[in-house]
Amino acid sequence: MTLNPFGFTTAADIFVEWGGSSRLGDLLVERFAERKALLVTDRGLIDAGLIAPVKTALEAAGFSVSVFDDVVADPPEAIVMKCVEMARAQNIDIVIGLGGGSSLDIAKLAAVIIGSDQPLAEMYGIGNVKGKRLPLALIPTTAGTGSEVTNISIITTGETTKMGVVSRQLYADFVLLDAELTVGLPQIHTAATGIDAMVHAIEAYTSKFKKNPLSDALAREALRLLGSNLLAACKDGTNREARENMLLGAMLAGQAFSNSPVAAVHALAYPLGGHYHLPHGLTNALMLGPVLRYNAKVAAPLYAELADVMGVDGTGDANTRSEAFVNHMLALMDESGAPRRLRDVNVTDNSLSMLAKDAMKQSRLLVNNPVEVTEEDALALYREAY
């Protein structure tokens, strides 16, 4: 079989070490000449005591550190600009993002905007960032978004709509995976972020246009790691092996979908996040079942392959194996303790048609889905999830 042309890009320098954040200063000194650092994070991590030792380690290595801790879930444009203002006022020359996907997304965009005259509004979409960015290091504290290795930042624009900046300038210079930072993550967040990562792997594997052998290999290994460690991490948050495998799996899934983009699960999840301020991982978990069943009419052979990757018992043709895979995913989500129906998280029945209309705006994502999704289809999928 001849290969279709494909590209694959990822972060250049990735380092994995349990407890590695305690020597972040030394790791960065080896790699960067810049010393005026902006640490982008959220208040919750400061209150949890995760940030102070990292700041100390950076200062001991000779960095001056300003901390921006105003990041919120589904961050709006105003937070991005507030971060940029602080950075400019302090003459920052290196940006460090430490936190969940939102903190990493803000750090990526801030690093681009600080060194550029280009307005944020002109950056939305694919490949629209013009300038260079400041040196950028990213350290995730959830095993979920994979944002540390993607070239994507998602920002809430206006009241409820989410927009993406997709550009190769958003790939970090350095990524540290320290699974010890994920130990304190509550069970519900462990479940939702873990399922989010699994969605990334599944959607990358079935993406319509850019699916390729490298992203496929990463998606399969991501799903194997995530699927076999999710319940252990949910059951006992201090399980080191489970935490390390989840963080590694989330990163591999991030590398996969950064090159073979996500589709309808995300397109339907974004309006739920925008209107109901539900965490991104949770909205993906809520929409995964209906979309898997909907896509199976085309994606069954691929789902059958993923059933094998995840060690799902049984035999049969592609359709039988595909069904077994979908049922396995549903059972995993049930056992993880994540909420399973839209009504469980206070989504109202009368908002479903508005959500379907909003989902249609996510054309950047819907185009990648193996099966076309109309507004009518979207409404039916929300009803099924309800």
Side-chain angles (χ1 to χ4, degrees):
M1 198 172 83
T2 57
L3 274 181
N4 290 325
F6 73 92
F8 185 89
T9 317
T10 192
D13 187 352
I14 297 165
F15 189 77
V16 181
E17 183 184 16
W18 181 269
S21 58
S22 65
R23 32 182 230 101
L24 183 62
D26 297 338
L27 292 170
L28 295 185
V29 161
E30 289 169 18
R31 291 166 168 86
F32 300 98
E34 294 77 10
R35 294 292 177 266
K36 290 182 76 75
L38 179 69
L39 186 57
V40 179
T41 189
D42 67 70
R43 195 67 236 172
L45 291 180
I46 289 189
D47 295 343
L50 289 185
I51 300 303
V54 175
K55 184 170 185 272
T56 305
L58 288 167
E59 287 168 344
F63 288 87
S64 67
V65 184
S66 306
V67 178
F68 179 82
D69 62 2
D70 287 347
V71 177
V72 293
D74 303 310
E77 291 175 323
I79 298 282
V80 182
M81 297 323 295
K82 193 173 175 187
C83 181
V84 168
E85 274 166 38
M86 179 180 186
R88 285 179 173 152
Q90 305 287 345
N91 293 315
I92 293 303
D93 58 13
I94 179 170
V95 177
I96 303 165
L98 195 158
S102 297
S103 292
L104 305 187
D105 281 8
I106 296 282
K108 284 148 79 167
L109 270 184
V112 164
I113 297 171
I114 292 161
S116 159
D117 302 324
Q118 189 183 6
L120 175 56
E122 285 177 15
M123 294 183 180
Y124 292 113
I126 299 172
N128 294 324
V129 173
K130 298 285 183 276
K132 293 199 167 99
R133 61 151 174 76
L134 296 189
L136 176 65
L138 298 176
I139 304 103
T141 57
T142 64
T145 65
S147 179
E148 66 275 9
V149 289
T150 72
N151 58 340
I152 305 162
S153 283
I154 303 293
I155 298 298
T156 303
T157 55
E159 283 300 298
T160 56
T161 312
K162 288 191 175 194
M163 300 268 284
V165 178
V166 184
S167 174
R168 62 176 50 232
Q169 286 96 322
L170 297 186
Y171 282 116
D173 297 303
F174 175 65
V175 173
L176 170 65
L177 295 189
D178 173 4
E180 193 176 23
L181 293 171
T182 68
V183 163
L185 202 63
Q187 187 225 336
I188 186 106
H189 296 308
T190 300
T193 52
I195 293 162
D196 183 28
M198 295 174 88
V199 172
H200 294 153
I202 295 165
E203 291 210 292
Y205 200 71
T206 55
S207 196
K208 195 169 183 179
F209 296 113
K210 293 191 174 177
K211 177 178 165 66
N212 66 77
L214 278 178
S215 65
D216 282 355
L218 292 161
R220 282 194 298 265
E221 179 60 4
L223 208 53
R224 188 188 71 78
L225 287 167
L226 295 161
S228 53
N229 288 280
L230 177 70
L231 297 180
C234 287
K235 218 168 282 169
D236 173 12
T238 63
N239 180 330
R240 174 171 169 172
E241 190 183 334
R243 287 296 194 188
E244 288 188 314
N245 284 328
M246 290 299 292
L247 192 59
L248 185 59
M251 185 201 70
L252 297 176
Q255 290 178 310
F257 91 85
S258 189
N259 291 279
S260 174
V262 292
V265 180
H266 279 72
L268 295 169
Y270 282 150
L272 288 168
H275 288 281
Y276 288 99
H277 301 294
L278 297 165
H280 170 70
L282 176 58
T283 56
N284 269 343
L286 291 164
M287 295 315 301
L288 179 58
V291 174
L292 283 178
R293 284 190 287 266
Y294 178 80
N295 284 347
K297 52 183 173 274
V298 167
L302 297 173
Y303 290 163
E305 290 170 16
L306 294 180
D308 297 341
V309 167
M310 293 185 76
V312 176
D313 285 342
T315 54
D317 64 5
N319 288 330
T320 310
R321 297 296 287 142
S322 167
E323 200 176 322
F325 168 71
V326 174
N327 291 335
H328 180 75
M329 284 303 303
L330 296 176
L332 255 187
M333 291 194 287
D334 287 340
E335 272 188 74
S336 76
R340 298 292 297 115
R341 320 239 17 126
L342 296 183
R343 65 169 81 95
D344 299 340
V345 292
N346 303 319
V347 172
T348 57
D349 190 17
N350 61 2
S351 71
L352 300 185
S353 53
M354 168 195 73
L355 293 170
K357 197 183 232 55
D358 262 18
M360 290 298 105
K361 295 176 188 164
Q362 298 293 337
S363 52
R364 171 178 76 82
L365 304 176
L366 288 171
V367 55
N368 304 313
N369 204 59
V371 185
E372 193 196 347
V373 179
T374 65
E375 192 176 324
E376 214 172 309
D377 298 325
L379 180 55
L381 289 164
Y382 281 126
R383 287 210 171 112
E384 196 182 326
Y386 188 73

